[in-house]
Amino acid sequence: MTGAGTVAAFDRTTRRVSTIERLLADAIALVDGFSTQSPVYDVLPSSLVDADFVPAAELNVRLFFRFWLDGNPPTEEDTRPLVNRAVSLLHDGMPLEEVLGNYRAGVDFLWSQLPTTASPAGRAALAEIGRPLSEYLSLMTARIAMACVEDARRRPSDELERRRGIVDALLAGRDPGDWLDDPTVPVADAFVVAVIRPGDPGPGTLTELRHRIHDLPGAFLRRDIRGWTALIPIDSRADSAAVIENLSTRLVPGIGTGATPLWIGVSPAVTRAAIPESFAEARVVAELGRCLARSEVICRRQDLRLEYAVAVDGSVRKELASVLEPLADQPVLAETLGVFFANECNQNAAARLLFVHRNTITYRLARIAELTGYDPQRPTEAMTLSAARTAQLLEAKAFSA
């Protein structure tokens, strides 16, 4: 090949790689922009969309594009988080056919949406996607199917069905009935209800947490669209505080920190009949942890009394949030109020964090009082503003228990 031919071939390869990398960025943006409120995503099956959807879909996209570019299939280690997630869905009662069907539905969604944002070169590149995509799908569905079959062989399906029946009955306040007659699945008389809400988990994070919960003797686990709910038995030799402390030391290390925030709302149920009420309470405090981005992973009602009171009444929450509407176009004042409250109403601390003079903080607080009608320097009025800020954060984060 002549020098000119070599350069031309190199240029074509470079342009192709650049085009595919732009398509990858578009695909990642589609995944990261996922919202159950957007009509674009309405075509996705409801059983596909859960707390692991975004990180798993993003990992899938990255693995496929890497395969498309270099032709090297992902290793089993590369795909392990995706395979483990599929197995966990099987544990939660989803048929294998639906697991694999959802996988294809997610792929169909991405490739139907990509042409709408792709450049002409990108749309031309998508025309050649058929073969690598078919090979990648075949590889992934084979690995998932083999793992699910092997898991089913190791773990009898009737035990899974019993466990699902028990946890569903307990959370709903029903008598587990005949399920209790089976000695292979013991059911405690008292539990700590733990509701897990992830922030932005990495691939495999929730699967790892699930495995840790399953390792707790007598524990039950149920998946929902936002995360997990676990029933952790309270041993007759222990109390709920000890069980909660055990959760902190056993479940949290390596999970729920740094890039993978996680919140676990907990509430003890001293009898089986008390489980539904504790379940409702744990959902609220877990959502409070998520919406308020609490620093602690384990969230309890006694640590969030004011926030809990604001959260449970939707009409009160909206009314309180409206108190801060005059600050909607005053981001500096809103930030100052947040920093002021975060530092226990200490003006000097707020001034240091915002790199301004203390007198500036005093002026801003006075301006907030003028606009809202509530003075953050008066204790009783500051309580209203603090509750209003909590309500505003909950509304902004689509709080839903």
Side-chain angles (χ1 to χ4, degrees), residues 236-269:
S236 58
R237 296 163 295 179
D239 59 18
S240 59
V243 173
I244 292 170
E245 180 63 27
N246 185 44
L247 281 177
S248 299
T249 57
R250 187 160 186 172
L251 300 184
V252 174
I255 292 178
T257 56
T260 57
L262 184 77
W263 296 274
I264 304 177
V266 295
S267 178

Side-chain angles (χ1 to χ4, degrees), residues 15 79 126 187 267 362 390-391:
R15 286 196 298 272
T79 60
L126 286 172
V187 182
S267 178
T362 302
T390 295

Side-chain angles (χ1 to χ4, degrees), residues 246-313:
N246 185 44
L247 281 177
S248 299
T249 57
R250 187 160 186 172
L251 300 184
V252 174
I255 292 178
T257 56
T260 57
L262 184 77
W263 296 274
I264 304 177
V266 295
S267 178
V270 296
T271 65
R272 292 176 188 166
I275 289 175
E277 184 177 349
S278 295
F279 181 31
E281 179 177 299
R283 289 200 304 271
V284 172
V285 292
E287 275 288 280
L288 282 172
R290 180 187 70 84
C291 293
L292 303 179
R294 301 277 295 184
S295 59
E296 63 271 25
V297 174
I298 302 295
C299 302
R300 300 175 300 174
R301 181 175 178 175
Q302 56 263 45
D303 300 325
L304 295 158
R305 294 189 190 279
L306 175 62
E307 294 86 349
Y308 191 94
V310 172
V312 293
D313 190 320

